[in-house]
Amino acid sequence: MRLGGPSFRGSWLRQDLGLLIGAAGTSVVGALLVWSATHESAGTAYLVRHLLNTAIGIVLAIGVTRLGHHGLRLVAPWIYGVSILGLLAVLTPLGLTVNGSRSWIPVAAGFTVQPSEFAKVGLALVLGLVFADRWERRVAPGTRDVAVGWLLAAIPAGLIMLQPDLGSAVVLGALAFVVIAVAGAPRRWVLGMAVAAVGLVVAALTTPLLSDYQRDRLLAFANPSADPQGIGYQTRQVRLAIGSGGWWGQGFMEGRQTQAGFIPYQLNDFIFSVAGEELGFVGAAGLLLLLSFIVVRIFVVAGRSRDAFGRFVGGGVGTWLAFQVFQNVGMNLGVVPVTGLPLPFVSYGGSSMFASWLAIGIVNAAYAAGHRDRV
């Protein structure tokens, strides 16, 4: 059976160029911000690796698009299964613990893989497959289907919580909620899912499931001034950096907090603070507009998809990226607790970059399938 899509030349005529340009432009901005945050201590080392990660991500996106819409349906269970195996491997001696979370697997030459990022890809695909099959048979989702959907989401989310990584688990929950709701689940189930999700988050915050490090983050969010030189140091420095940027910023590579290295992990979770400090409100808002354009375009492509699989997967991917952008920017601004989620296409980190570009490839595969139907 042929999995691939159209010819290479033809495939480029069936891409959503706006989505590609938006993702590429955001990745370029991310590379500049990573360079600014690290050039004083490491020269161009992080910039080179970030650009390499971006290039690999683009190649993965092209490969997924070339695989084609129908090919993705065939491999969806395998991608989901491999992501589960990765999450299990993290909990073995193979896993690497950083900042209280056992979330990475060392590969080679200093490179690590974070399976939770790929679990988002796997879950979006397998949920889209399950509910598309029901939709195409004109069978409305019932109790069993909703239960299966939530089980598929609960397995990776539960393994991620064991790391523990509350942020990624909540992303999976939001993704599953939207796909199941869009698939036509009864309203009572949608309401029940929302109540259950809130209950699970509350339980995670009030039980010993979270690590001491994560509890300190929550305490710092609730009262940043409680320990300004300890648990509240990072959030305080981030707010100072963003607040000092004003309208136009202090200038690229001129931010006082950034260039002095006052913000820990700035190139990862707090890369948005570089934009706020050095590019100001205007530059940071521009970055948000780019990210918003990507998310909105994904939802547009999903809404126009001519089959249920493209519609459901696109909705899941758009929800995942939208929620992650909201969470990352929100924790930089101090309006939500710090949970360690990277900013898609912008933060330094191979796994996040690969997963973000895989999402673009998946959506473009749906776009290409719809385009073929119209020509």
Side-chain angles (χ1 to χ4, degrees), residues 237-262:
Q237 293 299 323
V238 168
R239 293 181 188 183
L240 286 173
I242 294 176
S244 65
W247 281 98
W248 301 102
Q250 298 177 18
F252 181 61
M253 291 190 175
E254 298 294 335
R256 290 185 291 274
Q257 303 288 107
T258 297
Q259 301 309 316
F262 287 155

Side-chain angles (χ1 to χ4, degrees), residues 26-365:
T26 307
S27 296
V28 169
V29 174
L32 293 174
L33 296 178
V34 167
W35 186 23
S36 179
T38 60
H39 77 103
E40 286 286 350
S41 59
T44 60
Y46 283 100
L47 172 63
V48 170
R49 291 185 67 167
H50 188 76
L51 291 174
L52 176 61
N53 290 336
T54 303
I56 294 173
I58 293 173
V59 171
L60 290 173
I62 294 172
V64 168
T65 304
R66 291 276 295 152
L67 181 62
H69 200 49
H70 298 293
L72 278 173
R73 295 186 68 144
L74 292 175
V75 302
W78 295 98
I79 295 175
Y80 176 81
V82 170
S83 70
I84 297 300
L85 291 176
L87 292 174
L88 288 170
V90 162
L91 302 176
T92 71
L94 292 174
L96 179 66
T97 301
V98 178
N99 294 330
S101 293
R102 197 178 187 86
S103 303
W104 291 267
I105 299 176
V107 181
F111 285 91
T112 59
V113 173
Q114 190 173 6
S116 59
E117 290 295 326
F118 300 102
K120 300 165 188 174
V121 178
L123 182 62
L125 288 172
V126 78
L127 285 179
L129 178 63
V130 168
F131 286 99
D133 286 342
R134 300 288 290 176
W135 187 273
E136 289 161 358
R137 286 187 279 125
R138 300 184 182 277
V139 179
T143 301
R144 179 184 176 186
D145 302 302
V146 173
V148 168
W150 274 113
L151 178 62
L152 290 170
I155 293 172
L159 292 173
I160 289 172
M161 284 301 299
L162 292 177
Q163 297 178 4
D165 179 359
L166 177 62
S168 294
V170 172
V171 169
L172 293 183
L175 187 161
F177 176 84
V178 168
V179 173
I180 294 173
V182 171
R187 291 183 180 179
R188 66 180 184 277
W189 276 106
V190 175
L191 179 60
M193 289 187 297
V195 173
V198 173
L200 288 173
V201 172
V202 172
L205 298 179
T206 56
T207 62
L209 188 57
L210 297 182
S211 65
D212 292 339
Y213 178 80
Q214 289 174 312
R215 290 184 178 279
D216 287 343
R217 281 180 162 183
L218 292 174
L219 179 60
F221 166 73
N223 187 7
S225 61
D227 186 8
Q229 298 303 317
I231 60 173
Y233 175 81
Q234 189 172 45
T235 53
R236 180 173 178 270
Q237 293 299 323
V238 168
R239 293 181 188 183
L240 286 173
I242 294 176
S244 65
W247 281 98
W248 301 102
Q250 298 177 18
F252 181 61
M253 291 190 175
E254 298 294 335
R256 290 185 291 274
Q257 303 288 107
T258 297
Q259 301 309 316
F262 287 155
I263 303 175
Y265 308 107
Q266 191 175 23
L267 75 166
N268 306 113
D269 301 343
F270 297 98
I271 194 68
F272 186 76
S273 65
V274 183
E277 181 180 36
E278 298 191 345
L279 306 181
F281 175 83
V282 173
L287 176 58
L288 282 179
L289 285 175
L290 279 173
L291 290 164
S292 299
F293 172 80
I294 294 171
V295 170
V296 170
R297 191 61 200 165
I298 287 174
F299 283 128
V300 169
V301 172
R304 293 178 178 174
S305 178
R306 295 201 169 197
D307 75 336
F309 180 71
R311 190 157 54 249
F312 297 157
V313 173
V317 166
T319 300
W320 146 30
L321 294 178
F323 189 89
Q324 198 156 316
V325 168
F326 168 79
Q327 174 64 27
N328 180 276
V329 174
M331 71 186 190
N332 274 262
L333 297 176
V335 297
V336 299
V338 175
T339 55
L341 284 174
L343 189 59
F345 303 102
V346 182
S347 291
Y348 176 82
S351 295
S352 174
M353 186 64 74
F354 301 159
S356 297
W357 274 101
L358 281 171
I360 298 299
I362 291 168
V363 175
N364 259 330

